Amino acid sequence: RNAQCNKCHRIGHYGSLCRGRSKPHGSRQDVSRHSEAFDELTFDDIAIDGNAIRTEAIATVKILLHPKQEATLQGKVDTGAEGNILPLRVYKKMYPKHINKDGLPTHTKSSAVKLTAYNGTNIPHHGTVRIACRDNAKTKWKPTDFFVTDTPGSIIFGLPTSTSLNLVQLQKGGERSVHQ
């Protein structure tokens, strides 16, 4: 977790897993760029007999923060999740002007939905925020709701969003066609 990338010089991953561009050590990123990543995630691996197995699927989607201001959002694809999660810490980076004096979001829509983790633990949330998303192809923007949660975890793209944005494709199982 504390390793520094030899390619982009950021903390949290190795150069072999780097998805960023190389930059000279000590240089600053161009803050006038219209696209920026809000949450940088690393792969968590499990080693079995010395062989690393990737245990998470990470996807990047384009988002529309404000009219004509695009950005990217990286998150975990979770086909077992029915909704999307946007951690409060990421919301604060995305919408710094939409935070009250207590550090809570001001532009979310209240929701009576009860979120629970896989183990049944309740996940409190601050409502939903609608973000226009699309896959990396030039497809149409899709309004996508995210639950804003005060959790330490990653951004989560649930099954409906993952299929809608072509992050995953569901295949019909059990049927085979035979061509003669």
Side-chain angles (χ1 to χ4, degrees):
R1 292 195 183 272
N2 294 324
Q4 183 176 22
C5 175
N6 291 330
K7 219 172 163 183
C8 71
H9 301 289
R10 291 185 183 149
I11 304 297
H13 63 274
Y14 294 109
S16 62
L17 295 176
C18 184
R19 296 169 82 176
R21 286 187 256 154
S22 296
K23 65 178 186 173
H25 186 66
S27 71
R28 295 181 51 194
Q29 289 183 334
D30 180 6
V31 293
S32 66
R33 272 187 10 197
H34 291 310
S35 180
E36 64 183 278
F38 286 107
D39 205 17
E40 189 172 301
L41 302 175
T42 58
F43 293 103
D44 290 332
D45 294 329
I46 297 174
I48 300 175
D49 295 330
N51 297 319
I53 299 172
R54 184 172 294 155
T55 61
E56 294 181 337
I58 305 297
T60 302
V61 299
K62 296 217 181 257
I63 63 170
L64 197 56
L65 279 179
H66 306 289
K68 298 185 180 184
Q69 185 182 8
E70 291 185 26
T72 57
L73 197 59
Q74 280 187 332
K76 184 194 302 191
V77 175
D78 186 346
T79 59
E82 297 175 29
N84 306 306
I85 300 290
L86 184 68
L88 181 58
R89 72 180 188 284
V90 179
Y91 179 93
K92 288 178 179 181
K93 290 178 187 176
M94 292 171 65
Y95 306 108
K97 294 179 181 177
H98 296 213
I99 300 295
N100 69 16
K101 62 181 170 106
D102 297 322
L104 299 176
T106 58
H107 283 72
T108 55
K109 182 179 177 184
S110 64
S111 172
V113 171
K114 181 181 177 184
L115 298 179
T116 54
Y118 180 73
N119 64 4
T121 305
N122 185 37
I123 304 172
H125 64 84
H126 302 288
T128 62
V129 62
R130 182 162 284 177
I131 303 170
C133 298
R134 69 178 181 195
D135 58 13
N136 286 323
K138 295 292 183 187
T139 57
K140 185 178 176 182
W141 291 105
K142 297 179 182 181
T144 307
D145 290 326
F146 287 82
F147 289 95
V148 179
T149 63
D150 198 1
T151 56
S154 62
I155 295 163
I156 303 242
F157 300 115
L159 180 61
T161 296
S162 295
T163 54
S164 172
L165 295 177
N166 298 313
L167 304 177
V168 297
Q169 291 182 349
L170 300 178
Q171 300 294 319
K172 199 174 198 181
E175 297 181 11
R176 294 179 186 220
S177 59
V178 178
H179 299 289
Q180 295 181 344

